Amino acid sequence: MSAFDTAVHLVYLACATLFVAGLYLMNAPGTARRGNRLSAAGMLVAIAVTVAVLVEDGGLTAGAVVGLTVGAVAGGAAGLIAARRVRMTAMPQLVSLFNAVGGGAAALIALGDRATGAQAAVTGALDVVIGGITFSGSLIASGKLAGRVPGRPIVVPGGRIASAVLVVAAAGLAVLAGPGRATLPLAGVAGCALVLGVLLTLPIGGADMPVVISLLNACTGTAVAMAGFVLGSTPLIIAGALVGAAGAILTKLMADAMNRSVLAIVAGGYGSGDEVAVTPASGTPGVREISADDAGIQLGYAAKVVIVPGYGLAAAQAQHEVVALAQALTERGVDVSYAIHPVAGRMPGHMNVLLAEANAPYEQLKDLDESNPAFPGTDVALVVGANDVTNPAARRPGNAVSGMPILDVDKARSVIVIKRSLGHGYAGIDNELYHDPRTAMLFADAKAALTALLAAVRAYAA
Amino acid sequence: MTPLLMADLTVFTLSVLVGFEVISKVPATLHTPLMSGANAIHGVVLIGVMLLALSVTTAGGYLLLGVAAFFGAANVAGGYAVTDRMLGMFRSRS
């Protein structure tokens, strides 16, 4: 090993250390940004030293230089512009998009490497399969989150049989693509993987997207590690494995938060609306409506208010309005906190990001375990566009949300629900909470309702 | 199995274990930035694309290289930028 090679390897090792340290610092809000920047610095150094490797080697053709430079500059610019412009509510779909291109790049590496006659057989095929599935799967997931693909589970007729056939076909082609210069079979493997990604993601409902994004993120990490095996590149193996592990853990945490197995989520079909209907628990049918003025007065004179934000809040982009209302209440001496379910929003922790964007005080954000003991002592629970995660039916067996950890909103002294209609959540079942005599419904768009509530608090509770 | 593959497998396995250990301590509040930050880290795939450039010699290969470079660079630049933006919001509280 030449002195140059040794130096390069040591720098790569330092970069890998920076990635690990960066991830480690992300375990607390105070150090997280420093951690991310440390990781980014490691990445910049790794790219710089790789440029040095390319220059030292001297084997780059003019075409390769042009392809690499044009692609990287355009891609970097596109990524930066998207990152700057994205609204925080639309961030999950952007992250999914970045995940798609990462997986795509990993798959292209194996294809490109095979085209040059290299021999990495098993890892190469794995790279193409995982990368291909991630690419098309993440694109569909991103489309579902953005509303370009319907969020409901789309069951493709014969999809399961087709998937099984594709798996067998991909395996067969991968054997054909074994050691040697066979590029075409490997391209066939890529084609199978792309279709598989679509078939696997379409039947999964929108409510399960947090888990799916996390799972696909883990897959991309693994694909990148496989690309590292193909090229014999240690930084790719280390970084890919780290991300694979991170994604796997987050996937497990998310699935646990919904009391569902990862396998059941991947099998799809959840929320198709054909589950057993749930009848209201008590004998009080009918729903009580409340005006914004009455609700505002109730909030203004409460001692303790817990706000439960859900997807409806994110969809209406009403995070600034909810924080303004909370602030007005706090100024009146009301004890305000937010109860945040782990799967509120469209990504794990997405709701925390939205509230942070609107400058909600960090100490007011409470997670599920912290919030639930507080509900019995709460005067008003204000539910904003959260449905399934507040459904008391989850405590009983035999329905679509059974066993899912929920926020015990029904234990508060009174409940105000802001919702556009009595429509179902992703689980596709009635929410018994809405029929509770202590619950009042404020039917409106979250943004408009919260603005009206703030005006009412200021006008009537002065 | 070559010694090289053996070494790569060892590195892979140990990295997975380190990943599990480091990530399992992150609070739910930070799960979105964490996922986004991890997403940026797998943008390291750009380095793989750069290394691949050494062996590409055909017009089709250059095109494929350009697309792969576009993908990898978008992932790495966008991933870090959007994570930084998000985490900036977590810090800017009074």
Side-chain angles (χ1 to χ4, degrees):
Chain A
M1 198 182 250
S2 71
F4 179 78
D5 284 345
T6 310
V8 167
H9 275 89
L10 286 176
V11 174
Y12 277 147
L13 182 61
C15 296
T17 312
L18 287 176
F19 295 155
V20 174
L23 275 177
Y24 177 76
L25 288 176
M26 284 181 102
N27 68 7
T31 55
R33 197 176 198 187
R34 188 148 40 96
N36 186 56
R37 289 183 169 176
L38 209 60
S39 169
M43 192 63 74
L44 270 179
V45 174
I47 291 170
V49 82
T50 311
V51 170
V53 169
L54 297 186
V55 171
E56 162 83 11
D57 185 274
L60 278 186
T61 60
V65 172
V66 172
L68 197 60
T69 315
V70 171
V73 170
L80 281 179
I81 291 170
R84 287 264 162 78
R85 292 207 180 146
V86 68
R87 286 193 315 265
M88 281 300 128
T89 43
M91 212 209 9
Q93 47 264 44
L94 183 69
V95 171
S96 192
L97 214 54
F98 286 151
N99 193 38
V101 293
L108 287 176
I109 285 179
L111 282 176
D113 188 60
R114 184 58 57 88
T116 62
Q119 309 250 332
V122 178
T123 46
L126 274 177
D127 183 4
V128 169
V129 167
I130 303 172
I133 290 177
T134 314
F135 180 72
S136 59
S138 296
L139 284 183
I140 298 287
S142 176
K144 282 197 177 226
L145 291 165
R148 280 190 289 272
V149 178
R152 67 187 155 78
I154 301 169
V155 181
V156 185
R160 267 161 217 226
I161 298 167
S163 300
V165 171
L166 281 168
V167 169
V168 174
L173 285 166
V175 173
L176 273 183
R181 285 166 182 263
T183 311
L184 209 60
L186 201 61
V189 174
C192 290
L194 287 175
V195 181
L196 259 177
V198 175
L199 285 178
L200 288 176
T201 323
L202 273 182
I204 303 176
D208 284 336
M209 278 305 132
V211 183
V212 174
I213 294 184
S214 184
L215 186 64
L216 288 169
N217 203 32
C219 288
T220 308
T222 315
V224 169
M226 290 304 136
F229 277 100
V230 170
L231 297 170
S233 165
T234 318
L236 260 66
I237 296 175
I238 295 176
L242 276 176
V243 178
I249 288 187
L250 282 178
T251 307
K252 178 80 172 59
L253 286 174
M254 282 299 96
D256 287 351
M258 298 161 86
N259 189 41
R260 312 202 35 228
S261 74
V262 177
L263 261 180
I265 287 166
V266 173
Y270 182 66
S272 50
D274 51 10
E275 283 90 358
V276 190
V278 175
T279 47
S282 52
T284 50
V287 161
R288 186 161 62 93
E289 270 194 68
I290 193 171
S291 72
D293 286 348
D294 288 341
I297 292 167
Q298 211 185 326
L299 287 169
Y301 287 104
K304 183 169 168 53
V305 170
V306 176
I307 300 173
V308 181
Y311 179 65
L313 178 99
Q317 296 180 43
Q319 64 269 33
H320 294 282
E321 283 75 10
V322 80
V323 172
L325 175 65
Q327 204 176 345
L329 291 173
T330 309
E331 280 163 14
R332 283 183 54 81
V334 181
D335 172 10
V336 182
S337 64
Y338 301 85
I340 303 171
H341 193 276
V343 292
R346 278 299 167 263
M347 249 168 91
H350 185 205
M351 195 55 68
N352 300 76
V353 173
L354 294 180
L355 293 173
E357 183 197 13
N359 272 322
Y362 182 70
E363 59 278 2
Q364 286 184 358
L365 310 183
K366 313 276 192 211
D367 63 19
L368 184 106
D369 294 336
E370 234 179 319
S371 302
N372 275 345
F375 278 114
T378 298
D379 298 306
V380 187
L382 178 65
V383 180
V384 189
N387 194 337
D388 296 332
V389 298
T390 61
N391 195 345
R395 296 194 199 108
R396 284 184 289 106
N399 61 68
V401 293
S402 288
M404 180 166 115
I406 56 162
L407 289 161
D408 297 333
V409 174
D410 58 333
K411 293 188 177 154
R413 291 189 194 111
S414 72
V415 183
I416 297 171
V417 179
I418 298 176
K419 208 168 176 296
R420 276 187 301 195
S421 69
L422 273 179
H424 292 163
Y426 272 110
I429 62 171
D430 276 330
N431 190 339
E432 295 171 6
L433 179 69
Y434 304 160
H435 300 277
D436 191 299
R438 283 169 306 157
T439 302
M441 304 293 295
L442 179 54
F443 291 114
D445 169 74
K447 200 168 192 154
L450 288 165
T451 309
L453 279 180
L454 178 61
V457 168
R458 293 220 166 111
Y460 300 105
Chain B
M1 198 178 264
T2 63
L4 197 66
L5 182 61
M6 208 61 227
D8 282 352
L9 265 178
T10 309
V11 168
F12 177 78
T13 310
L14 290 179
S15 302
V16 167
L17 294 177
V18 169
F20 276 129
E21 192 54 34
V22 170
I23 308 291
S24 48
K25 296 183 176 68
V26 177
T29 302
L30 289 172
H31 278 171
T32 285
L34 173 73
M35 191 188 292
S36 170
N39 193 330
I41 290 177
H42 67 53
V44 74
V45 72
L46 180 61
I47 289 168
V49 178
M50 294 168 77
L51 294 176
L52 179 67
L54 282 175
S55 48
V56 173
T57 47
T58 61
Y62 297 147
L63 185 69
L64 188 140
L65 188 69
V67 174
F70 181 91
F71 282 178
N75 185 347
V76 76
Y80 278 116
V82 86
T83 309
D84 189 63
R85 216 183 119 194
M86 248 189 284
L87 290 171
M89 290 166 184
F90 275 87
R91 277 186 58 182
S92 69
R93 65 196 68 255
S94 45

